[in-house]
Amino acid sequence: MKINDPEQLYELERRLEDHDPEIEELSELQEQLKHVRLKDIIAMIERTDVTNGAKILRLLSPERSAVVFDVLDPAHQADMVTALGDEAVVGFFDALGAEDRVALLDELPPEVAARLMHELDEDDQRVTNVVLGYEKGTVGRTMSPEVPLVTPEMTVKEVVDNLRENVDSLETIYTVPVTDAHRTLVGIVSLRRLFQSKANQPVSEVMREAQYAYASDEAEDTARWFLSSNLLALPVVDNEHHLVGIFTYDEAHDIVEEADSEDTARLGASESLKRPYLSTPVQALVKSRIVWLLVLAVSAILTVQVLGIFEDTLEKAVVLSLFIPLLTGTGGNTGNQAATTVTRALALNDVRNRDVAKVAWREMRVGMLLGAVLGSLGFVLAGLVFGQSVGIVIGLTLLLVCTMAATVGGVMPIIAKTIGADPAVFSNPFISTFCDATGLIIYFFIAKAVLGI
């Protein structure tokens, strides 16, 4: 009987976290795990530390443990290799596709990676080395090199028989590339189309023009385009248009998910964990955050220096200090909104590097309108409480700060991409600090001019 009740699963999870169970209890847990859905087992492993996760894998049957291991993120798999010992995961490694093996190898120490590669048979080593031969971040590095050999002269029946015979070794059979005798891509045919055609029809009559990617193309850009194209798989060719592999939907999804997780983390001034939160060691959590905190702490000194420069102005009009959090917070938020919007537009190719002037002009107008609304509100409220002069200072500062912050926030991600940096890095953390310092300079200059201090 399947175990799917939340309370039962919670109790089983709690018992599995016992670090020193009795032999009899282990046998009982092993029997209970047979009745738990793979989905729930994966969730258990992702919600516990690596030691307990490795214990759960050991309690599963070889077939189920291989499926579970395949689903884990590459960094999580690497942690499991360390916890289990690389000899214990040879079977898992062998069961992975070539592109998944490479993703795991990239996370492992070189000596461990070499030992695992040595355990593969000659054919698996060959296809894995094909993927390893491409640069990181390219389509070639994430494609599967295992594709069926189909030519235009073959009949539909021959193709279907070929797919049936090699189905276990192929990454996908739903989209079949068609090549000539020199392995040059000439078309593509879907499994649906093959089933709709007569057995003796040549492939040349049922294939259609193929959309494809180059192995050297940037993987994230290709993946984002691919996911919006409603395709199941995409042939991959080299610069001579020879078929070298196939890029599947699940690989594209993983690439985009990883990129979005990384961007989200960096927008919040940390690094992506690359593994589930509860299975991430505390040291790794600290490491993902400490560098950014140090960078932000150092950059925040700019704000302190600005306050020091205008210390005399604050002494003459103490009321100005009351509005500093409002102005710095508004500037930072405005810049972050613009940066987040443009970073997303860059990821979707809605904006390109050459559009920097268009983005700057657009965001300047947006910031000016936002500043006009907020500045008017600030003028009225501050004027009623602290007098008209203070209201004018606050209103004008909000207008200029919002205009400046939106413009800078919109342009910085494009500049980052132009120089080869991650646009997300230049977004929230650095823009907030920049807007704090420049916003205060604008504030105090306006205050000195309006209040005559």
Side-chain angles (χ1 to χ4, degrees), residues 145-167:
E146 297 171 297
V147 290
L149 187 61
V150 175
T151 61
E153 297 77 22
M154 294 175 65
T155 65
V156 168
K157 182 179 185 306
E158 288 174 332
V159 174
V160 172
D161 289 344
N162 184 10
L163 294 177
R164 182 181 293 111
E165 182 179 346
N166 297 287
V167 65

Side-chain angles (χ1 to χ4, degrees), residues 77-387:
Q77 289 176 337
D79 292 341
M80 286 294 180
V81 171
T82 303
L84 291 167
D86 49 286
E87 292 183 5
V89 296
V90 168
F92 299 156
F93 189 68
D94 182 63
L96 296 174
E99 71 283 4
D100 294 325
R101 286 193 209 113
V102 170
L104 174 56
L105 291 173
D106 287 340
E107 300 289 342
L108 291 172
E111 62 276 8
V112 176
R115 286 200 298 270
L116 287 177
M117 281 291 290
H118 180 72
E119 295 295 332
L120 293 176
D121 61 37
E122 190 173 320
D123 286 341
D124 285 338
Q125 285 187 17
R126 177 182 55 78
V127 295
T128 304
N129 283 325
V130 169
V131 179
L132 280 170
Y134 293 98
E135 292 185 18
K136 291 183 180 180
T138 64
V139 172
R141 190 78 171 194
T142 56
M143 70 178 186
S144 171
E146 297 171 297
V147 290
L149 187 61
V150 175
T151 61
E153 297 77 22
M154 294 175 65
T155 65
V156 168
K157 182 179 185 306
E158 288 174 332
V159 174
V160 172
D161 289 344
N162 184 10
L163 294 177
R164 182 181 293 111
E165 182 179 346
N166 297 287
V167 65
D168 290 335
S169 63
L170 298 175
E171 180 69 18
T172 180
I173 62 171
Y174 302 108
T175 300
V176 183
V178 183
T179 61
D180 63 15
H182 304 289
R183 208 169 172 76
T184 301
L185 182 67
V186 295
I188 200 166
V189 61
S190 68
L191 189 63
R192 175 188 292 271
R193 180 65 171 151
L194 289 172
F195 284 169
Q196 290 173 336
S197 304
K198 296 179 180 179
N200 60 351
Q201 270 188 286
V203 171
S204 58
E205 293 183 3
V206 299
M207 71 181 190
R208 56 183 172 82
E209 182 181 354
Q211 299 190 62
Y212 57 89
Y214 287 105
S216 57
D217 285 348
E218 207 278 327
E220 183 182 342
D221 289 345
T222 303
R224 291 189 185 278
W225 167 82
F226 176 46
L227 292 181
S228 65
S229 66
N230 295 321
L231 297 173
L232 293 176
L234 193 68
V236 181
V237 299
D238 60 17
N239 292 333
E240 284 74 42
H241 212 70
H242 297 141
L243 181 70
V244 293
I246 195 157
F247 188 56
T248 59
Y249 184 92
D250 60 330
E251 291 299 334
H253 178 272
D254 289 345
I255 290 170
V256 171
E257 182 180 42
E258 181 180 351
D260 287 346
S261 297
E262 187 176 84
D263 288 347
T264 300
R266 288 179 174 174
L267 287 172
S270 66
E271 287 295 324
S272 175
L273 299 179
K274 296 185 178 181
R275 51 178 67 77
Y277 172 77
L278 290 176
S279 63
T280 302
V282 171
Q283 298 91 327
L285 290 172
V286 173
K287 185 178 178 181
S288 72
R289 302 177 189 179
I290 188 63
V291 174
W292 285 100
L293 288 177
L294 291 173
V295 170
L296 292 175
V298 172
S299 61
I301 293 175
L302 290 173
T303 304
V304 177
Q305 288 178 326
V306 171
L307 289 173
I309 293 171
F310 291 98
E311 184 178 359
D312 292 340
T313 304
L314 279 174
E315 289 179 353
K316 294 176 183 178
V318 179
V319 67
L320 296 177
S321 63
L322 300 176
F323 294 95
I324 289 176
L326 167 68
L327 299 174
T328 55
T330 301
N333 290 337
T334 304
N336 291 338
Q337 286 178 334
T340 301
T341 301
V342 174
T343 298
R344 181 63 177 167
L346 283 169
L348 298 175
N349 283 324
D350 292 340
V351 170
R352 300 178 183 177
N353 294 0
R354 62 174 178 266
D355 296 323
V356 61
K358 291 181 181 179
V359 171
W361 172 235
R362 176 177 288 263
E363 286 298 332
M364 185 175 71
R365 287 178 292 163
V366 170
M368 191 176 297
L369 289 172
L370 291 171
V373 174
L374 295 175
S376 299
L377 183 62
F379 167 72
V380 172
L381 297 179
L384 289 174
V385 178
F386 299 100

